[in-house]
Amino acid sequence: MDPRTFPTKGNLMLAKNSLSLSKLGYDLMDRKRNILIRELMEIIDEARTIQDEIDSTFTYAYQCLQRANIEHGISLVAQLAYTVPIEDSVTIQTRSIMGTEIPHVKYEPRVGLPTYSFSTTKESIDMATKAFHRVKDLTVKLSMVENSAYRLAASIKKTQKRVNALQNITIPMYAALVYHISNALEEKEREEFTRLKIIKARKEA
């Protein structure tokens, strides 16, 4: 038998403290869950907006690329693609939402000079380049938003498990323990009171 369940005043105090802490923990976890859910809903709305925009942008970009391939040939377009510099302006930082680390991407779009000659290319190359720059910008934003959504969803799931455990297991367990010890102590007090009355009555007799 667990010594913590013995009906003593010390165990009653411990059980009451544990019950109070469990209720406080439940309130905090419930508040955290609600804040994370609200944040996730906002991110999902943002992701949906970006996704709609990126779908239309991708479609337009590939139409521009197809036109450029037709006018210049796939081989030349592929060669021009190799002249595009590697993107190295993306930096990833994090911010905390109720203990959940959310990525924050810093990205500065480059507005540099074209890496190809105007004299040997047509307008379709310019249009394709501009369209794919827009695709890159949106892809960076979408990756940050989706990653944040996944992390928040995982944190919400973990928090929900803790909330359920506190609500359905821990709090009822300590509430029952407080009730059991309180009843046992009250019963002892009644027995002691009755015993003292009997002793007093015998002495008076």
Side-chain angles (χ1 to χ4, degrees), residues 68-102:
N69 285 336
I70 292 171
E71 292 185 356
H72 298 83
I74 295 177
S75 179
L76 177 59
V77 173
Q79 290 177 17
L80 293 176
Y82 281 112
T83 66
V84 177
I86 296 174
E87 182 59 63
D88 58 359
S89 68
V90 177
T91 56
I92 301 176
Q93 299 176 338
T94 57
R95 62 187 180 95
S96 179
I97 300 177
M98 299 298 292
T100 303
E101 295 295 325
I102 302 299

Side-chain angles (χ1 to χ4, degrees), residues 60-72 124 128 132:
Y60 174 71
Y62 278 106
Q63 287 174 351
C64 293
L65 179 61
Q66 187 177 24
R67 179 181 168 188
N69 285 336
I70 292 171
E71 292 185 356
H72 298 83
S124 57
F132 276 99

Side-chain angles (χ1 to χ4, degrees), residues 6 16 34 57 72 79 83 120 124 146 148 160 162 164 176 193 204-205:
F6 292 161
K16 285 183 176 180
N34 291 335
T57 305
H72 298 83
Q79 290 177 17
T83 66
T120 58
S124 57
E146 286 189 343
S148 299
Q160 183 64 53
R162 291 177 179 173
N164 289 342
F193 179 73
E204 289 178 350

Side-chain angles (χ1 to χ4, degrees), residues 107-121:
Y107 165 61
E108 297 178 2
R110 290 181 177 178
V111 187
L113 296 173
T115 56
Y116 51 85
S117 171
F118 288 131
S119 60
T120 58
T121 57

